[in-house]
Amino acid sequence: MAPTLSTVQFADPAEVTEFVVNKGNGVKGLSETGIKALPDQYIQPFEERLINKFVNETDEAIPVIDMSNPEEDKVAEAVCDAAERWGFFQVINHGVPLEVLDNVKAATHRFFNLPVEEKSRFTRENSLSTNVRFGTSFSPRAEKALEWKDYLSLFFVSETEAEQYWPDACKNEALEYMNKSKTMVRKLLEYLGKNLNVKELDKTKESLFMGSIRINLNYYPICPNPDLTVGVGRHSDVSSLTILLQDQIGGLHVRSLSSGNWVHVPPVPGSFVINIGDAMQILSNGRYKSVEHRVLANGSNNRISVPIFVNPKPESVIGPLPEVVANGEEPVYRDVVYSDYVRYFFKKAHDGKKTIDFAKI
Ligand SMILES: COc1cc(/C=C/C(=O)SCCNC(=O)CCNC(=O)[C@H](O)C(C)(C)COP(=O)(O)OP(=O)(O)OC[C@H]2O[C@@H](n3cnc4c(N)ncnc43)[C@H](O)[C@@H]2OP(=O)(O)O)ccc1O
Ligand SMILES: O=C(O)CCC(=O)C(=O)O
Ligand SMILES: [Fe+2]
């Protein structure tokens, strides 16, 4: 059973960290104690809070693209245009059965509703596989201010490995979600590749664009002072492409490339939010943009989201594609080993678009 106010008292911030991070209660456990004020270590610097005046003053919106007829040129054009001008878009009629989406959302709630002793089997310290990690915030040991989010991160190696190590509460649903999304992912990558003069997604391109998959189940519990903190701080993803399933609560904001405004991504039932990640920005020599985004904390509702990060293989060397620089275009990025890039991302706190400097020439 979740601890309650009568059983949990925090004398100082270190006790909160012990309870949330080290004991594996997460911010969900903290929220469920009935805590009335945000603990100090969650208070973000003023400039990192999503203050209302920067939001919703604009009628800008990320494109919503209908994929009912995926072979039509206008679908490919809309995807490539959005990847260049927004780095973000939503897709509807994408062919992934709605039941699969409902099932993975239900499985996410089922996992986070497990008792702490069960979830703690998957913390960094306890997990039997480095490919399965239950955690909180982003990089708690590196962060000056923590983020109001718990997560389960599942790196796919094989069905057998997943069967053995992924939590029973969600493994079948997460695998089905991943498998049933593959056709859509391939199609999106074909559109993006063709526009870069990549003729086909052969084995080499496949391992660069979609050589590894990570699924995260994110849980953002009700927060006592949502204006003082964030669910997720400003960052860009390090993937090639991210496919995000969000529930009906909302809170994801994207930085508009044209105005610099923070633009809300409204939940559209049955849709996916798709975004370009740093790996794709590097491979396309900056043509496609991985854009800063962040998530608000919420004072009245719990929220979940389930991103699939489609990535190069960890051992892939990524740099501007030969097809892109063949015409004499100057490369903006150097070649980097993808796992070095990801390790660099994970070892620091979220810092907006700074990760990509690691690969800049
Ligand atoms: C969590 O909140 C997030 C997450 C995100 C994620 C955005 C993405 O775009 S995720 C896609 C990343 N790409 C991949 O995972 C594919 C390639 N993977 C790899 O190359 C490797 O698996 C590796 C990630 C480099 C890890 O390799 P290795 O060094 O063998 O493994 P570890 O020793 O386990 O990890 C080293 C170090 O990395 C950090 N870390 C690892 N996994 C995670 C994870 N799932 N979540 C958070 N941090 C992770 C961690 O610091 C590890 O050091 P420890 O000392 O703590 O073990 C976007 C926004 C978010 O808020
Ligand atoms: O929860 C969301 O809407 C976005 C989460 C996110 O940006 C991430 O996990 O990388
Ligand atoms: Fe993200």
Side-chain angles (χ1 to χ4, degrees):
M1 215 180 77
T4 60
L5 251 193
S6 57
T7 55
V8 182
Q9 299 289 333
F10 302 108
D12 63 52
E15 286 186 16
V16 176
T17 307
E18 178 62 16
F19 178 80
V20 175
V21 181
N22 302 337
K23 291 258 165 48
N25 289 285
V27 279
K28 181 172 187 289
L30 186 60
S31 173
E32 288 171 357
T33 65
I35 194 161
K36 292 285 183 288
L38 190 72
D40 286 354
Q41 59 266 60
Y42 288 91
I43 300 179
Q44 293 284 330
F46 185 75
E47 62 279 9
E48 295 302 334
R49 301 179 208 155
L50 202 50
I51 303 146
N52 285 331
K53 73 178 174 150
F54 292 122
V55 184
N56 296 341
E57 261 185 2
T58 159
D59 51 12
E60 291 177 284
I62 68 165
V64 177
I65 300 173
D66 187 340
M67 290 187 75
S68 308
N69 298 305
E71 300 312 322
E72 282 185 2
D73 287 348
K74 67 174 189 196
V75 180
E77 282 160 20
V79 165
C80 296
D81 187 61
E84 291 183 23
R85 295 196 307 115
W86 277 97
F88 257 90
F89 51 98
Q90 307 209 56
V91 291
I92 53 172
N93 300 318
H94 40 63
V96 185
L98 297 183
E99 193 193 2
V100 172
L101 309 189
D102 289 341
N103 289 347
V104 78
K105 284 192 273 188
T108 301
H109 283 286
R110 189 159 55 242
F111 175 77
F112 285 99
N113 283 334
L114 290 173
V116 62
E117 307 77 57
E118 281 296 309
K119 287 184 285 192
S120 294
R121 289 172 46 213
F122 304 100
T123 57
R124 170 180 174 272
E125 291 71 24
N126 299 338
S127 184
L128 297 176
S129 164
T130 54
N131 299 317
V132 179
R133 178 190 289 243
F134 167 59
T136 189
S137 192
F138 174 61
S139 192
R141 285 173 296 168
E143 289 163 331
K144 291 212 180 81
L146 298 178
E147 300 180 352
W148 196 261
K149 180 199 77 173
D150 299 331
Y151 70 89
L152 174 71
S153 189
L154 304 166
F155 186 68
F156 180 77
V157 174
S158 68
E159 298 269 340
T160 318
E161 207 259 0
E163 178 54 43
Q164 189 175 355
Y165 295 115
W166 292 16
D168 289 339
C170 58
K171 72 176 159 204
N172 293 336
E173 295 79 4
L175 281 171
E176 189 178 40
Y177 169 47
M178 190 188 79
N179 288 329
K180 290 275 163 48
S181 305
K182 274 195 182 140
T183 308
M184 175 191 67
V185 166
R186 242 196 112 78
K187 197 82 228 161
L188 292 169
L189 289 171
E190 272 170 22
Y191 299 151
L192 294 168
K194 278 219 175 83
N195 190 45
L196 298 174
N197 293 325
V198 172
K199 299 218 164 29
E200 58 162 337
L201 275 191
D202 58 14
K203 285 273 165 272
T204 315
K205 289 298 181 311
E206 206 175 271
S207 86
L208 270 180
F209 286 174
M210 51 185 296
S212 71
I213 303 276
R214 180 183 291 284
I215 301 190
N216 280 9
L217 313 187
N218 292 328
Y219 193 94
Y220 306 89
I222 293 172
C223 178
N225 297 103
D227 295 345
L228 299 181
T229 191
V230 292
V232 177
R234 283 183 305 120
H235 71 285
S236 60
D237 293 345
V238 292
S239 53
S240 34
L241 203 64
T242 303
I243 313 301
L244 180 98
L245 175 64
Q246 61 168 335
D247 67 11
Q248 75 291 358
I249 302 301
L252 171 63
H253 290 76
V254 171
R255 174 94 85 174
S256 160
L257 285 170
S258 54
S259 67
N261 288 326
W262 286 101
V263 176
H264 187 231
V265 181
V268 173
S271 71
F272 287 115
V273 181
I274 313 284
N275 64 282
I276 299 295
D278 292 352
M280 182 62 84
Q281 176 163 333
I282 292 169
L283 292 164
S284 70
N285 202 30
R287 172 108 50 103
Y288 300 138
K289 313 291 190 311
S290 77
V291 163
E292 264 185 314
H293 51 287
R294 55 180 170 178
V295 178
L296 277 180
N298 191 305
S300 25
N301 292 293
N302 300 311
R303 173 176 187 264
I304 59 156
S305 70
V306 195
I308 299 180
F309 300 104
V310 180
N311 316 293
K313 273 194 193 317
E315 63 273 22
S316 294
V317 174
I318 59 164
L321 290 168
E323 290 85 344
V324 176
V325 291
N327 60 2
E329 188 174 308
E330 268 312 300
V332 182
Y333 303 103
R334 65 186 175 94
D335 286 350
V336 293
V337 177
Y338 184 60
S339 58
D340 291 345
Y341 190 84
V342 178
R343 251 182 236 112
Y344 175 71
F345 170 70
F346 278 140
K347 78 168 187 233
K348 58 186 174 49
H350 280 140
D351 55 0
K353 276 287 297 176
K354 288 199 184 136
T355 316
I356 208 157
D357 291 347
F358 182 81
K360 272 210 180 110
I361 288 179

